[in-house]
């Protein structure tokens, strides 16, 4: 650890209204131990001051951040494939956090830090132009129209994403929900600060080679749903 923000779990994080479950099935004892022992060593703590994410790591070439890492499969695969980057994973679902910790522990990853509260609070604390890549993969689509304000993709959040990404940095979005796919395209097409990297009609239907699959994505495909893969560059 190289920074005061990489310390104990955040006990003073702002409390936004959160929709959805915080925990599913009871954790196995081994997962409970990871929450108790490993998470405090990896957790990012907010104290009201601005955070330079590079200070959370030692000698990392780039900083990548994933919003809602689910079971942690994609996060762990990327961190293992790119040991020279610092990887920040955000997840609020306890079972997902425990799963992510299990991947980190099994692969002995030393380039991952976690934020186990609402990702929006961490985004608000990070210094501008401090991220080289940001992932939003298969977020809760909130498909009912009355729940649209709960979707992460909105003008306010996209403004913050744009502020955090360096020029040329990537913003990757994945979804298998038709409503969320259309919603993403609508909002991103209005942006003048991003460019969609698709060159062919098939680009958004084929998972890039450097985009590891998650357990959720594989489940969606098995159930007949079609994932879509968006890659945007910050102008």
């Amino acid at each position: 650890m190289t920074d005061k923000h990489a310390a104990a779990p955040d006990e003073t994080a702002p409390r936004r209204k959160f929709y959805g479950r915080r925990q599913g099935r009871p954790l196995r004892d081994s997962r409970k131990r990871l929450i108790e022992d490993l998470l405090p060593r990896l957790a990012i703590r907010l104290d009201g001051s601005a955070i330079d994410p590079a200070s959370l790591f030692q000698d990392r070439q780039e900083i990548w951040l994933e919003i809602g890492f689910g079971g942690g499969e994609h996060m762990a695969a990327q961190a293992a494939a790119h040991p020279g980057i610092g990887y920040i994973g955000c997840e609020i679902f306890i079972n997902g956090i425990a799963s992510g910790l299990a991947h980190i522990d099994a692969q002995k990853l030393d380039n991952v830090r976690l934020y186990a509260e609402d990702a929006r609070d961490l985004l608000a604390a990070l210094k501008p132009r401090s991220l080289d890549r940001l992932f939003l993969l298969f977020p809760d689509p909130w498909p009912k129209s009355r729940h649209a304000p709960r979707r992460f993709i909105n003008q306010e959040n996209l403004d913050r994403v744009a502020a955090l990404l360096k020029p040329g940095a990537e913003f990757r979005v994945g979804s298998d929900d038709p409503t969320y796919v259309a919603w993403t395209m609508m909002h991103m097409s209005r942006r003048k600060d991003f460019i969609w990297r698709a060159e062919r009609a098939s680009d958004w239907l084929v998972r890039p080679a450097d985009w590891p699959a998650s357990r959720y994505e594989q489940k969606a495909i098995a159930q007949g749903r079609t994932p879509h893969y968006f890659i945007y560059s910050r102008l």
Side-chain angles (χ1 to χ4, degrees):
M1 300 293 173
T2 62
D3 187 85
K4 64 180 180 178
H5 298 285
D10 191 2
E11 301 293 342
T12 61
R15 294 294 176 179
R16 296 177 185 264
K17 186 171 181 59
F18 176 73
Y19 300 95
R21 297 181 302 163
R22 289 295 301 262
Q23 184 169 353
R25 295 178 179 178
L27 299 178
R28 301 192 299 270
D29 287 343
S30 60
R31 296 289 175 92
K32 290 180 180 178
R33 286 193 292 272
L34 289 172
I35 293 287
E36 294 170 356
D37 299 333
L38 182 56
L39 180 58
R41 303 204 301 269
L42 303 181
I44 299 171
R45 177 174 54 85
L46 304 185
D47 63 5
S49 61
I51 299 174
D52 180 356
S55 68
L56 302 172
F57 306 92
Q58 290 183 340
D59 302 323
R60 302 299 175 181
Q61 300 165 353
E62 296 186 354
I63 304 297
W64 297 2
L65 185 147
E66 183 170 347
I67 298 173
F69 60 72
E73 299 87 8
H74 175 273
M75 173 181 69
Q78 291 283 23
H82 304 279
I85 63 100
Y87 204 104
I88 298 173
C90 302
E91 180 58 58
I92 200 167
F93 187 56
I94 296 297
N95 300 69
I97 296 168
S99 177
L101 288 168
H103 287 292
I104 293 169
D105 185 57
Q107 299 182 51
K108 307 302 180 186
L109 301 174
D110 65 355
N111 60 333
V112 180
R113 300 291 180 265
L114 302 180
Y115 186 67
E117 294 292 341
D118 194 312
R120 293 171 295 177
D121 298 322
L122 178 61
L123 298 185
L126 296 179
K127 290 186 176 181
R129 295 194 174 191
S130 60
L131 300 178
D132 298 276
R133 188 172 295 185
L134 194 149
F135 304 92
L136 177 68
L137 307 182
F138 303 93
D140 194 323
W142 296 108
K144 296 180 179 179
S145 58
R146 69 175 184 271
H147 292 155
R150 301 180 184 180
R151 299 169 189 160
F152 181 86
I153 294 288
N154 60 46
Q155 180 174 327
E156 179 182 2
N157 289 338
L158 290 176
D159 284 348
R160 187 57 189 162
V161 167
L164 291 174
L165 291 175
K166 299 176 183 177
E170 286 187 359
F171 178 37
R172 296 190 175 192
V173 182
S175 180
D176 64 299
D177 182 83
T179 299
Y180 207 90
V181 168
W183 181 264
T184 298
M185 293 181 67
M186 178 185 70
H187 279 272
M188 292 303 295
S189 67
R190 298 171 177 170
R191 307 290 307 191
K192 304 302 182 183
D193 42 11
F194 286 95
I195 185 171
W196 187 13
R197 295 260 297 275
E199 297 179 351
R200 296 172 297 274
S202 62
D203 282 357
W204 67 328
L205 296 174
V206 178
R207 179 165 49 82
D210 64 345
W211 187 319
S214 68
R215 182 176 55 188
Y216 177 86
E217 178 186 346
Q218 293 171 330
K219 180 180 178 181
I221 294 172
Q223 294 177 349
R225 299 193 298 276
T226 302
H228 293 72
Y229 310 91
F230 299 95
I231 300 180
Y232 298 95
S233 289
R234 178 71 167 92
L235 296 176

